[in-house]
Amino acid sequence: MNKHIRLAIFDRLAAAIPEPTTELNYSTPFELLIAVVLSAQATDKGVNKATEKLFPVANTPQAILALGEDGLKDYIKTIGLFNSKAANIIKLCETLINCHHGEVPQSREALEALAGVGRKTANVILNTAFGQPTIAVDTHIFRVSNRTGLAPGKNVMDVERKLEKFVPAQHKKDAHHLLILHGRYVCMARKPRCPVCCIADLCEFKEKTS
């Protein structure tokens, strides 16, 4: 796939998805950080149901620490792995207060040093909260990148490196959400909606649905 096709792909995705953003509900970088930590192996819808009750009560590191681990669990117990997530969030909040004046840091290294935060979560925060041109490769992005031929790779890091190299500069800020939303609603895992796909003629997937 050459750079002209890649540009055309992102131009079309941007036209089809004019306001690409996360489907997690949040109003501050800290709320987004908590939501993303909770979203591991969980749906955005499920996380939003939990945080719509949690955030009005506790949406700062200090307030969540005041809840305590058991108090936090009461709000997130509908989410998978809630026990370990609650423990990580408490540690995360302690680190934010002790090392970052209660604010979410804007560097990858500082984010990845937080409990429960890996490279993917850090990339989401850097991109969505702070507007940095990072791409967090989740299952949707991994699938779309490989299926279309946009940035094929055997693992997440392969795909991330290729996307960083190949995504046109003007689309790097929004590429993360463009690819996620396209994968979630059009280029789905089991039965992609190829007949209504805006990039079907540019895609290298050989087993297109009819």
Side-chain angles (χ1 to χ4, degrees):
M1 183 174 289
N2 62 48
K3 65 180 182 180
H4 302 293
I5 294 177
R6 290 191 183 96
L7 176 59
I9 285 174
F10 279 103
D11 282 346
R12 291 189 193 179
L13 290 177
I17 311 170
E19 296 183 7
T21 190
T22 181
E23 293 185 307
L24 292 169
N25 295 332
Y26 75 99
S27 59
T28 66
F30 177 74
E31 288 187 357
L32 178 64
L33 176 59
I34 298 304
V36 176
V37 169
L38 291 174
S39 71
Q41 299 182 45
T43 65
D44 287 0
K45 185 177 180 180
V47 172
N48 288 337
K49 283 185 177 180
T51 57
E52 72 181 7
K53 296 178 181 178
L54 171 64
F55 288 158
V57 176
N59 70 340
T60 65
Q62 295 85 349
I64 285 184
L65 287 180
L67 280 180
E69 189 171 329
D70 289 337
L72 177 58
K73 287 179 183 178
D74 286 339
Y75 287 96
I76 66 171
K77 60 188 177 184
T78 56
I79 297 173
L81 307 175
F82 73 93
N83 284 311
S84 60
K85 289 176 181 179
N88 281 332
I89 288 172
I90 292 297
K91 293 175 185 176
L92 176 157
C93 289
E94 291 172 345
T95 302
L96 289 181
I97 291 171
N98 294 332
C99 302
H100 303 288
H101 307 289
E103 300 294 326
V104 178
Q106 298 189 36
S107 75
R108 183 191 307 281
E109 295 75 17
L111 285 167
E112 289 188 20
L114 298 172
V117 177
R119 184 179 182 88
K120 185 172 76 171
T121 296
N123 278 342
V124 172
I125 302 304
L126 293 172
N127 179 262
T128 307
F130 302 123
Q132 296 186 29
T134 55
I135 300 175
V137 179
D138 70 347
T139 56
H140 297 299
I141 293 181
F142 187 81
R143 179 177 67 255
V144 171
S145 297
N146 276 284
R147 181 183 277 170
T148 62
L150 183 66
K154 294 181 180 179
N155 55 56
V156 167
M157 281 307 303
D158 281 347
V159 172
E160 182 179 329
R161 290 191 190 99
K162 287 185 178 180
L163 287 172
E164 288 177 350
K165 179 179 179 180
F166 293 139
V167 174
Q170 62 267 46
H171 291 294
K172 279 195 172 179
K173 180 178 176 294
D174 290 330
H176 171 75
H177 291 113
L178 289 173
L179 293 174
I180 283 179
L181 294 171
H182 184 66
R184 186 172 289 169
Y185 296 110
V186 180
C187 195
M188 297 174 290
R190 294 184 180 179
K191 190 175 181 181
R193 300 172 62 208
C194 300
V196 299
C197 176
C198 65
I199 61 169
D201 59 315
L202 303 175
C203 167
E204 296 178 358
F205 185 45
K206 294 180 180 180
E207 300 174 11
K208 290 186 174 68
T209 58
S210 60

